[in-house]
Amino acid sequence: MLGERRPSGWVPAKVREGRGPVRGVLRTPDCEETPQGAPLLDVEHALNVAENSGTRLCALCGRVQELTPMRAGFDHITDC
C-alpha cells in the first residue's frame, strides 16, 4: 500500500527573517509554512531555483529531499 498521495510540485518562498545569504526556500505545496497563492513549480523549474546559492530546501517538507540527488548531479556514478 502506497499511502496517501501528496500534491506534486514545489513552491518557492522568500525568507523574511534572519541574516545571511539565504534569500529563498523551496517547500512542498502541503507544507504548513507554504504561503497561500504562491506559484507551483514543476521539477525542472524547481531545480533551476534550487541551483541558486541563496536558496535552501525546507527541512519541514520530507519530499523536497527528492531534489537533493538531482542538485548534486550524477558525478558519483562511475562505469563498471
Side-chain angles (χ1 to χ4, degrees):
M1 187 166 195
L2 296 175
E4 188 176 335
R5 184 177 169 102
R6 295 184 73 175
S8 63
W10 289 268
V11 178
K14 291 184 179 181
V15 175
R16 294 185 180 106
E17 300 175 4
R19 295 182 152 166
V22 176
R23 295 182 301 276
V25 61
L26 279 175
R27 302 183 187 282
T28 57
D30 60 345
C31 176
E32 61 188 44
E33 298 292 322
T34 298
Q36 293 292 325
L40 187 64
L41 304 177
D42 61 16
V43 69
E44 184 177 345
H45 288 102
L47 285 170
N48 288 337
V49 170
E51 286 179 355
N52 184 325
S53 62
T55 301
R56 65 183 172 97
L57 303 179
C58 178
L60 299 174
C61 308
R63 208 186 86 218
V64 296
Q65 294 175 3
E66 295 173 10
L67 292 177
T68 301
M70 290 185 268
R71 284 179 71 190
F74 298 94
D75 295 337
H76 65 283
I77 298 174
T78 59
D79 293 329
C80 294

